[in-house]
Amino acid sequence: MQAWSQHAPSLPNAPWQPTTTVLKKYVPIVTHDEVKMDAADAYTLGQLIDIAESNNPTTRESWNHAKASAAAVGIAKSELYPTLFAFATGKNYNLPPLLYNTFVVQDIGLFATAVHLDYTLIDFGTRRSEITAAQAKLVAANLSFNDTHLQLIQQVSQAYYALLNARGLRAAAEVNLTDAKALEEAAQERRDNGLATLPDLLEARAEREKANYDLQSAIGAEKTAFGDLATAIAAQPVHAFKVQGLDDLHIPNALDQSVEDAIANAYKQRPDLLAEKAKVKAAHAEVTRYTSAYFPTLSFEAEGGWVRAWGQQKTYPGTYAQTRTYETALSLKWTIFDGLRRENRISQAKAEEAEAKNAVHEREDQIGERVWASYQEAVTALEQRKAAASLLAASAESHSASVESYKDGVRNLLDVLNAERDLARARALDVTARTRVLQSFTGLAFRTGDLLAQHPKGNTP
């Protein structure tokens, strides 16, 4: 079967099996350049954001949409200028015109060249309104482009912090396993000395196996988080690279603005909200454009050229002639009735304008609600960070005391296991609390739009 004669699948209950020829002809190979990461460097968040903005396909897609909108403005502006075109015509025909009471056969060859000019002089704002609408759509597209970057910065930041959290939990799990092994060794030593029973040793061994299981789970979660980050920056997760660690980052200890200021800033600078407002401007310009259709248009046409012709009339010798030609016209066009097309177009445009305004109000409500929620999450994260730090210090002290007491025969193994579990939980909570502060602050900056200008910078200013 030829590729050009392919059909739809013959049965609804089986997959379509395309031929190799069809796939080669209609499924082109689209190359995707892989980001080359240096395995020796430890990338900062700013550098990762730089890489993502330069290579992630979503930013390029949004950029091309903005470029298309810019071209649409140029197309709309071109209507303000005259149209000038040249043409040449070659024609040969045999024409029998009726002269008096008989047809006279004429054989004519004609060649004409001319330049034609069309220019709309007055249209009562139709073209200007179209330009305004296109310009507003361009502004909306540019703001959407900024929103794409904002979304990408948020995605990379959260993926980065998720990886730091996963690595912190893996490191905590490794320490927990080390402690569990030490406890098992202590239990073995006490049993060898007749100070502990076999159930005590088995409990310690089970705790060590549980710690190892938790470590393997943490390792798997870390690999998954690394893959998410690599995907966000358009890199391949099969090639390892390093990132700056959690201990090297500054953890904020307070918010620098009130929730009222945060919501107000979001209303002023969120690019998606500003894009929705620009769409209102575009919709209003469309209303003006269709309203101007009720008025007449005044246009000017001119044409000048040169005609050369050779002709012969039956029974007479042939002849050749040439001459200059020109034509000018001033036209006033006024649509009296069009089947209510203008009325319906205006109604449609007004409805679209109202729809655009409602979209702005809906987006404002969403932004206010989400900024409020993100602000409260940041406040909660700060308090949890303080509590987690205190819990870790207390748990470490309690665990150390329990182990020493167990070695001295004052405490039993169950007390030590409980203290060890509490310490393991405290380590995990401390890591999660620190990364949650960073995540919540980044989430708040994303919701307010501050993240677009205040995100960490890498190699580019």
Side-chain angles (χ1 to χ4, degrees):
M1 180 185 296
Q2 296 294 328
W4 53 265
S5 62
Q6 59 183 300
H7 301 286
S10 57
L11 296 173
N13 57 352
W16 177 54
Q17 299 295 333
T19 64
T20 303
T21 303
V22 169
L23 291 179
K24 287 183 177 180
K25 185 171 184 179
Y26 294 102
V27 184
I29 297 175
V30 180
T31 59
H32 178 64
D33 295 332
E34 177 188 347
V35 177
K36 303 298 183 182
M37 305 293 290
D38 191 342
D41 292 339
Y43 290 91
T44 65
L45 176 57
Q47 291 173 321
L48 294 172
I49 291 173
D50 283 347
I51 294 171
E53 289 183 309
S54 299
N55 297 278
N56 195 290
T58 57
T59 56
R60 296 181 179 274
E61 179 183 356
S62 183
W63 179 52
N64 284 320
H65 176 67
K67 289 170 64 178
S69 297
V73 174
I75 293 172
K77 284 185 175 181
S78 68
E79 297 294 332
L80 295 175
Y81 300 94
T83 301
L84 182 67
F85 61 89
F87 65 88
T89 303
K91 185 187 298 184
N92 182 267
Y93 57 93
N94 192 298
L95 180 65
L98 178 63
L99 298 178
Y100 299 104
N101 59 352
T102 185
F103 286 96
V104 179
V105 177
Q106 295 180 346
D107 186 7
I108 299 176
L110 178 69
F111 180 74
T113 58
V115 177
H116 187 89
L117 174 71
D118 283 335
Y119 192 18
T120 300
L121 301 176
I122 300 174
D123 61 1
F124 292 93
T126 299
R127 293 169 295 175
R128 289 292 180 183
S129 298
E130 185 178 0
I131 293 172
T132 300
Q135 290 172 332
K137 291 177 182 178
L138 172 59
V139 171
N142 289 342
L143 289 168
S144 296
F145 173 69
N146 288 352
D147 187 60
T148 300
H149 277 269
L150 178 62
Q151 299 278 351
L152 182 60
I153 293 169
Q154 165 73 350
Q155 180 185 356
V156 174
S157 299
Q158 295 299 347
Y160 171 71
Y161 293 136
L163 176 58
L164 295 188
N165 184 66
R167 288 189 173 178
L169 293 177
R170 186 259 303 157
E174 289 176 345
V175 176
N176 295 337
L177 179 59
T178 301
D179 289 345
K181 288 179 178 179
L183 180 60
E184 182 185 10
E185 292 173 358
Q188 182 68 55
E189 181 180 354
R190 284 178 60 82
R191 185 173 186 274
D192 293 341
N193 295 329
L195 300 176
T197 63
L198 179 61
D200 289 339
L201 179 59
L202 294 178
E203 283 279 358
R205 187 170 299 166
E207 188 67 19
R208 188 252 301 167
E209 294 299 337
K210 179 181 179 300
N212 184 47
Y213 176 86
D214 292 339
L215 174 59
Q216 300 309 315
S217 298
I219 292 174
E222 181 185 357
K223 291 180 179 179
T224 300
F226 176 80
D228 293 340
L229 177 60
T231 301
I233 64 174
Q236 291 293 336
V238 295
H239 297 149
F241 58 88
K242 301 176 184 178
V243 298
Q244 189 178 31
L246 180 61
D247 293 336
D248 297 328
L249 301 181
H250 169 68
I251 309 296
N253 53 23
L255 287 163
D256 59 356
Q257 61 180 333
S258 66
V259 66
E260 292 83 4
D261 291 338
I263 294 175
N265 289 337
Y267 286 159
K268 288 189 298 184
Q269 63 189 18
R270 273 281 292 265
D272 55 341
L273 177 60
L274 298 179
E276 294 291 351
K277 291 181 178 181
K279 292 177 183 178
V280 174
K281 177 70 174 180
H284 181 72
E286 293 290 350
V287 174
T288 304
R289 174 190 172 193
Y290 290 130
T291 302
S292 63
Y294 281 104
F295 300 97
T297 59
L298 182 65
S299 59
F300 173 75
E301 291 185 61
E303 183 176 299
W306 191 267
V307 176
R308 298 175 179 82
W310 177 89
Q312 183 177 20
Q313 186 171 304
K314 192 174 181 179
T315 73
Y316 294 97
T319 184
Y320 169 81
Q322 61 181 1
T323 184
R324 297 178 183 271
T325 63
Y326 72 90
E327 178 182 358
T328 60
L330 194 63
S331 303
L332 180 67
K333 182 180 179 181
W334 198 345
T335 302
I336 304 300
F337 181 73
D338 60 359
L340 302 180
R341 173 178 294 183
R342 290 170 294 183
E343 287 82 354
N344 288 321
R345 279 182 171 175
I346 292 173
S347 297
Q348 181 185 24
K350 287 183 177 180
E352 291 174 350
E353 181 182 11
E355 181 181 358
K357 290 180 179 179
N358 290 333
V360 170
H361 298 155
E362 182 180 1
R363 186 62 59 91
E364 287 177 339
D365 291 341
Q366 292 176 350
I367 288 174
E369 176 187 359
R370 291 171 182 174
V371 170
W372 170 268
S374 296
Y375 192 91
Q376 302 312 318
E377 287 178 3
V379 171
T380 302
L382 288 172
E383 296 301 323
Q384 288 179 329
R385 171 72 185 100
K386 297 176 184 177
S390 299
L391 176 62
L392 178 58
S395 298
E397 186 176 357
S398 174
H399 176 262
S400 178
S402 296
V403 170
E404 292 300 324
S405 298
Y406 176 70
K407 291 179 179 179
D408 295 338
V410 179
R411 304 288 292 271
N412 58 37
L413 182 64
L414 183 60
D415 295 331
V416 179
L417 290 176
N418 288 334
E420 190 166 285
R421 290 164 186 164
D422 290 340
L423 179 57
R425 179 173 177 270
R427 288 182 181 128
L429 288 177
D430 180 68
V431 171
T432 301
R434 285 190 289 162
T435 54
R436 190 181 178 193
V437 170
L438 296 172
Q439 288 175 321
S440 63
F441 271 62
T442 300
L444 178 60
F446 166 69
R447 295 300 182 189
T448 61
D450 290 332
L451 189 60
L452 192 62
Q454 298 179 5
H455 70 273
K457 303 299 188 294
N459 297 326
T460 59

